Amino acid sequence: MSVGGPLPRRIVLAAALALTAGCSREPARPAPPPERPALLLVTLDTTRADALAPEEKTGATPAFAALAARGLRFAQAYATAPTTLPSHASMLSGLYPAGHGVHENGRRLPDHVPLVTERLRELGYATAAFVSGYPLESPFGLARGFDLYDDEIGDGRVERSARETTDRALAWLARAETRPRFLWVHYYDPHEPYAPPEPFRSRFPHDPYLGEIAAMDQELGRLVAAFEAAAGGRGAGIVVAADHGEGRGDHGEMLHGNLLYQGVMRVPLVVAGAGVETGTRGDPVSLRQVRATLLGLAGDPADGTLLASGGAPVLGEAMQPYLNYRWQPQVMGVAGRQKLIRSGRLELYDVFADPAEAHDLAGTVPPDRALARAVAEYPLPGASPATSAPPAGEEERRRLASLGYLVSGEAPGAVPEGAPRAAEMTPLFADLDAAAHAFARGDYARAAGRFERVLARDGGNLMAAVQLAACRSLLGQEGEALAVFARARRIDPRSVEVRHYLGLHHLKYGQVERAGPLLEAVLESQPDRLAAIEGLAQVRAREGRLGEAAALLERAVPLSGDPGTRLVEAGLLRMRLGETGPALAALERARTLHRESFRRHLELGVLLLAAGRLEEARDALDRVPSGHPDAPMALFKRAQVSVLLGEPDRSERVRAARAGADDTTRRLIAGERLFEGVAH
Ligand SMILES: [Zn+2]
């Protein structure tokens, strides 16, 4: 069950600063606010530390090289998670994913998590964000505190280029602004698929990933120059970081999200600006320190800035395989040169001597005690409700799947006995990625084949079982689907995912008495799950419980990517119940939303007629096209309105209704007393 159309954009435009006309003789003015520097945060998606200068040696990234040369570079900076949304949530909140509760894309950052943007706005900053990838769009919760949150990536697209994003950021910088600015720009280009624009495609024919990085670097240069020009003499603080890297084959991982090795967790990070020393630091730091660093640069000191030397071990996690596949949860920590990974067992590496993490020292070298304790005490998702943010809706899941992300929407109660370690499951990654893409494209046969292969090697993979069952159901293979659903239920008897897709399966095959209780159970734990709401509405409608069906559809309106269609459905049900007022309200809202594409003019006209709004009824009925299946009824109703309005051409109208009548309207016309004596 999919819903079309883009999400409503929540671009938040704050009211312009109210400036009173100058009163030159006013005696006592309040003290001017402290002069705060303009702040720029640039986040580079999917960018490995060794893909940027000075680690990248071919000169592909001159803009980053220039920034690193005049700023402070961190050679051991770590993402908090190898996934876009959790990592950015950490940068803006200062919390690890265990603290802010977002462990994977497709979750929504809870409203109670404070963001640096809100504080900067309190300090008098004009705040704007320009993001380039779907995982950061405003429904996922990072827009809070931004005067402007530009996530207009374009209908049906999941990313926009660094060039487009930079153009839009530069337009904002060109606007007059008396306040200091906080600008966050996010570039998504290096995320796969790798398709650099020219001339970078030709410059990097054998390494399109690096081509994407080089294209992005060019835009970084343009952005930094424009930002510093706009900041004028005020000075500027600049932080540039990747949200995570890319596996590129390291330890068997091509992309990112499933493992915790250096290629995905160690990221490029530079801080530059007035008062920032230059050079390179080798002590481990975390991207979650970006928040305190921005506040420090703004003159609002906070604990944990990157500009002070740290001490505590730096932590990170990769929970996607745990949440989706029921593999071991993964936690890492770095202290000095030691990196400890907990995932079913411990791995220990000396990342200075062995940056490729080829030699596991666990069992031969004792880990630093503070490091071992921090890694052991890091909380797992699902341990308490606070550590697990609510999942996003169905439309969000579909679009994330098109980026290769599967979203489970639930946390397991406990680590399953004998759960596999992600590091040992790398041969499955390609099939899991391909299956997610095929599923998002609607190629269920191909997706099913890939999920079969995964399950053959990983029989406890809940996500693969649920998605395979959904594929079989969508392919019309009812018996096979039920068998796989049964298998998924054995993997996790309390899984909401299984109930959800099994409920939709029964609905598809007309078994509403089975679908109803399953979808009810889903909505008890996930009240905002759109497909379950819509599915249960269908169940109620088929059971003849139209009022409940309409109420469910009305509940779906704010969650839906196409609220107008939900309103039409709810309105038509209210109409069948004889509830003219609510039916009319729903259809009128739908017409406002759908504008030219609104198709329910007949129903709207009938309702307006019933409400005695005759002129509006006339206009609505006149919009029913002549060749439309509703045309005979529209002609009949239009004739009624014409008589009631006393229009001069009412006889013509009644004749036209007779001439264009079908069996139904012929009977109605014959019995219509309004028409008596009007025309024969
Ligand atoms: Zn990312």
Side-chain angles (χ1 to χ4, degrees), residues 585-626:
L587 287 188
E588 289 195 296
R589 271 183 68 202
R591 184 181 55 177
T592 308
L593 289 169
H594 277 170
R595 294 189 205 159
E596 294 307 308
S597 60
F598 182 75
R599 294 284 173 270
R600 295 296 180 165
H601 298 294
L602 173 65
E603 289 84 354
L604 184 60
V606 168
L607 290 166
L608 287 162
L609 172 58
R613 290 159 60 182
L614 298 179
E615 283 87 357
E616 291 164 275
R618 175 195 64 205
D619 296 345
L621 292 167
D622 281 345
R623 287 195 201 98
V624 179
S626 55

Side-chain angles (χ1 to χ4, degrees), residues 391-418:
E394 219 60 28
E395 170 70 5
E396 285 89 337
R397 287 158 188 264
R398 192 180 61 72
R399 293 182 64 181
L400 287 163
S402 74
L403 291 169
Y405 298 114
L406 293 168
V407 181
S408 72
E410 61 184 330
V415 181
E417 188 99 11

Side-chain angles (χ1 to χ4, degrees), residues 254-271:
M254 296 309 295
L255 306 177
H256 57 270
N258 287 327
L259 295 175
L260 286 172
Y261 296 105
Q262 295 293 79
V264 292
M265 294 303 286
R266 191 176 71 90
V267 291
L269 172 63
V270 161
V271 181

